[in-house]
Amino acid sequence: MGMIEAVLRLLFGGGRNTVKETAEVFRENAEAAALRDFGLRGEALEQFAREFASPTTGVFDRVMDAINRLPRPALALGTLALFAAAMIDPIWFAARMQGIALVPEPLWWLLGVIVSFYFGARHQMKGQAFQRSIAATMLHAASVTRNIEALQELGREGADQPEDGAPSAAPGANAALEEWRAGA
């Protein structure tokens, strides 16, 4: 009984699980991977939330933004409704299309101009907002570049000084490889 107990204590004793630790060398711990993935996804969603959070605006601005979002879906759904109407009641649909055929060409041009200006103005507004965000990002480029250079300099300084206090080799030199080449 003592020998079995000693083997089990060796494998599972001391608050450690040797079998589990050995298995994790060959296969990733699925639970730990799921927790890491959960954390990563949560952080990504928080970043997206911060990035796309709209600035605090008044009720009027939010209502106007909601109204501005209506024309595109209304046009798409209206077109689908026309197809459905043509299939459900072709006579009714044909009568309405005959009425549209009587609309004078200048009125069609006017409709085209109104729709073009609406969507063009919206596109321009979104484009200008995008340009402002790029300009704000570019303002930080100089400080980011300085920070990266400082970090690279710290990395070079750390690589030049060995941890054991021995004299440092040339950057990129491999002492073991040089010794092997000299012996060969």
Side-chain angles (χ1 to χ4, degrees):
M1 186 72 177
M3 183 179 232
I4 294 173
E5 184 179 344
V7 170
L8 289 176
R9 188 173 306 123
L10 175 69
L11 292 176
F12 303 109
R16 296 179 51 211
N17 187 339
T18 309
V19 173
K20 176 180 172 265
E21 291 173 6
T22 304
E24 286 179 352
V25 169
F26 300 103
R27 186 179 184 283
E28 181 183 23
N29 183 329
E31 184 176 355
L35 286 173
R36 285 190 303 271
D37 189 44
F38 176 76
L40 179 67
R41 288 175 190 252
E43 290 172 8
L45 287 174
E46 287 177 23
Q47 178 186 352
F48 282 133
R50 285 190 307 271
E51 184 176 341
F52 292 108
S54 61
T56 307
T57 57
V59 175
F60 177 77
D61 290 332
R62 288 189 298 236
V63 169
M64 291 311 295
D65 283 343
I67 291 172
N68 279 335
R69 290 186 180 106
L70 289 178
R72 290 180 190 166
L75 287 169
L77 293 174
T79 303
L80 292 175
L82 286 174
F83 279 103
M87 290 185 282
I88 292 171
D89 191 356
I91 304 299
W92 179 88
F93 180 77
R96 298 319 172 265
M97 292 302 108
Q98 289 300 314
I100 288 179
L102 296 176
V103 174
E105 188 172 344
L107 194 55
W108 284 113
W109 282 99
L110 180 61
L111 178 64
V113 167
I114 291 170
V115 170
S116 297
F117 276 123
Y118 170 77
F119 288 117
R122 186 154 173 82
H123 175 72
Q124 182 179 2
M125 181 183 72
K126 295 293 183 182
Q128 287 173 345
F130 179 67
Q131 292 296 328
R132 279 192 300 272
S133 71
I134 288 176
T137 302
M138 292 306 291
L139 287 175
H140 299 295
S143 64
V144 169
T145 303
R146 284 192 305 272
N147 291 342
I148 290 172
E149 290 170 352
L151 289 171
Q152 289 173 340
E153 183 62 32
L154 285 174
R156 282 191 291 269
E157 289 174 5
D160 291 345
Q161 299 175 2
E163 295 177 13
D164 60 358
S168 64
N174 185 336
L177 183 59
E178 296 301 324
E179 183 180 328
W180 178 76
R181 286 181 181 159

